Amino acid sequence: MWKDAADGFCMALADSVPGVSGGTVAFIMGFYDRFIGSIERMAFGTWKEKREALRYLIRLGAGWIVGMGMAVVVLSALFESHIYTVSSLFIGFVAGAIPLILWEERKSVRKAGSGIVYGILGAALVAAITWGNAQGGMAALSLDAFSVGLGMRMFLIGMAAISAMFLPGISGSTLLLIFGAYMPVISAVREVLSLNFSCIPALLFFGCGIITGAVTVVRVIRMALEKFRPQAVYAILGMMIGSFYAIVMGPTTLPAAQEALGVSTFQPIACLAGAGLVLGMQVLRQKGERHGN
């Protein structure tokens, strides 16, 4: 029970930052198949399978909620005051995760073929959305002034974010960052925790999008990973590479926009710390597997 809660806690820490998804953490720590399988059984399994999956997801979700609550309070403050340190940390997360996924998926990576094309498309998609949002000024998103248009937009963003969370690649928070919704959502949750409920309607639509995405997208993702794994792995790696650009542009999405991360503002120590955290998760996984044997 406590191990499942601890797994959920680690997933939340990853999901709360643009860079490494909860799916990446699940993949690195060895419970990805159980996690994605439980989501699918909750939606499409028998009653017995649903009960077993629900018990597991409740334990996982309890740790996730605690981790996300702690991350929201801490990260929202860090984003406002130490954006370049946090962005450098995120780059380390992604840079540390890529070689681990390459190693874990080495059989799929060797089957390059058309997979390279999917990798290029994945990177181009993330970079293009990031660039388009920057040009379109989508960073100025206010969740306390609710409208039907805002609700539908948050619904679609929620669907996209939860879909990314299931992938061991691009994170849901990276997509929030790309769509200019990362800081607005983080700040809105912090306001609700402070008993300011003006953002609740927008967050409800966001939550409904998350639920809808979880039910409808998980089967597609699992089918792609099972039947078209080389192409899926390359697309995931491409999206991770593209997320570097999203992270670099992250400071421009703040309410008080700042310059994009550059050579002068990049912080190597924070980057190394981010890579070290991801590698540390891999060490924990290996220790767990040894004890399990």
Side-chain angles (χ1 to χ4, degrees):
M1 174 179 177
W2 290 109
K3 181 184 181 301
D4 295 335
D7 289 342
F9 183 86
C10 292
M11 285 185 71
L13 297 183
D15 287 325
S16 65
V17 300
V20 178
S21 70
T24 302
V25 170
F27 192 85
I28 292 171
M29 297 184 72
F31 62 94
Y32 180 76
D33 287 339
R34 186 182 183 190
F35 165 63
I36 203 76
S38 296
I39 296 290
E40 184 179 24
R41 285 191 292 274
M42 275 295 297
F44 306 106
T46 64
W47 282 110
K48 181 179 179 181
E49 290 174 335
K50 287 179 186 290
R51 287 195 298 270
E52 292 176 353
L54 180 61
R55 284 194 290 268
Y56 170 69
L57 292 173
I58 286 176
R59 296 193 297 269
L60 193 75
W64 190 93
I65 290 171
V66 173
M68 183 58 69
M70 293 175 61
V72 163
V73 173
V74 174
L75 284 173
S76 59
L78 287 177
F79 240 71
E80 293 170 359
S81 58
H82 298 87
I83 179 61
Y84 297 116
T85 301
V86 177
S87 296
S88 299
L89 185 75
F90 295 167
I91 287 178
F93 280 149
V94 180
I98 287 175
L100 290 179
I101 292 179
L102 284 171
W103 174 253
E104 293 287 345
E105 294 292 335
R106 54 192 179 278
K107 292 182 180 179
S108 297
V109 172
R110 290 186 187 127
K111 301 175 182 178
S114 62
I116 295 177
V117 175
Y118 285 90
I120 294 172
L121 289 175
L125 176 64
V126 175
I129 294 174
T130 303
W131 182 84
N133 286 344
Q135 297 299 311
M138 293 180 70
L141 185 64
S142 176
L143 302 190
D144 57 358
F146 182 76
S147 66
V148 174
L150 174 65
M152 293 306 299
R153 181 174 167 188
M154 294 305 300
F155 179 86
L156 294 174
I157 290 174
M159 282 191 66
I162 197 64
S163 301
M165 174 184 167
F166 292 145
L167 289 168
I170 185 172
S171 73
S173 292
T174 297
L175 280 186
L176 291 180
L177 187 65
I178 290 170
F179 288 117
Y182 179 74
M183 272 306 296
V185 169
I186 290 289
S187 299
V189 173
R190 185 176 62 175
E191 288 298 315
V192 171
L193 293 175
S194 301
L195 303 182
N196 179 358
F197 303 124
S198 61
C199 298
I200 282 184
L203 289 177
L204 285 176
F205 273 82
F206 180 70
C208 289
I210 287 176
I211 294 171
T212 303
V215 171
T216 59
V217 177
V218 64
R219 175 162 281 190
V220 175
I221 293 173
R222 186 164 189 176
M223 182 184 69
L225 289 171
E226 288 178 351
K227 297 185 177 181
F228 308 99
R229 195 168 189 91
Q231 294 90 338
V233 169
Y234 271 98
I236 288 167
L237 290 169
M239 287 187 288
M240 292 181 72
I241 292 170
S243 71
F244 282 122
Y245 179 59
I247 296 169
V248 166
M249 297 300 293
T252 67
T253 70
L254 294 174
Q258 300 185 38
E259 293 292 329
L261 180 69
V263 175
S264 62
T265 51
F266 176 72
Q267 300 186 15
I269 294 178
C271 180
L272 290 173
L277 287 174
V278 177
L279 295 174
M281 292 177 185
Q282 178 70 0
V283 171
L284 289 175
R285 171 189 173 178
Q286 292 174 347
K287 286 184 177 180
E289 289 175 348
R290 285 197 295 269
H291 289 309
N293 295 332

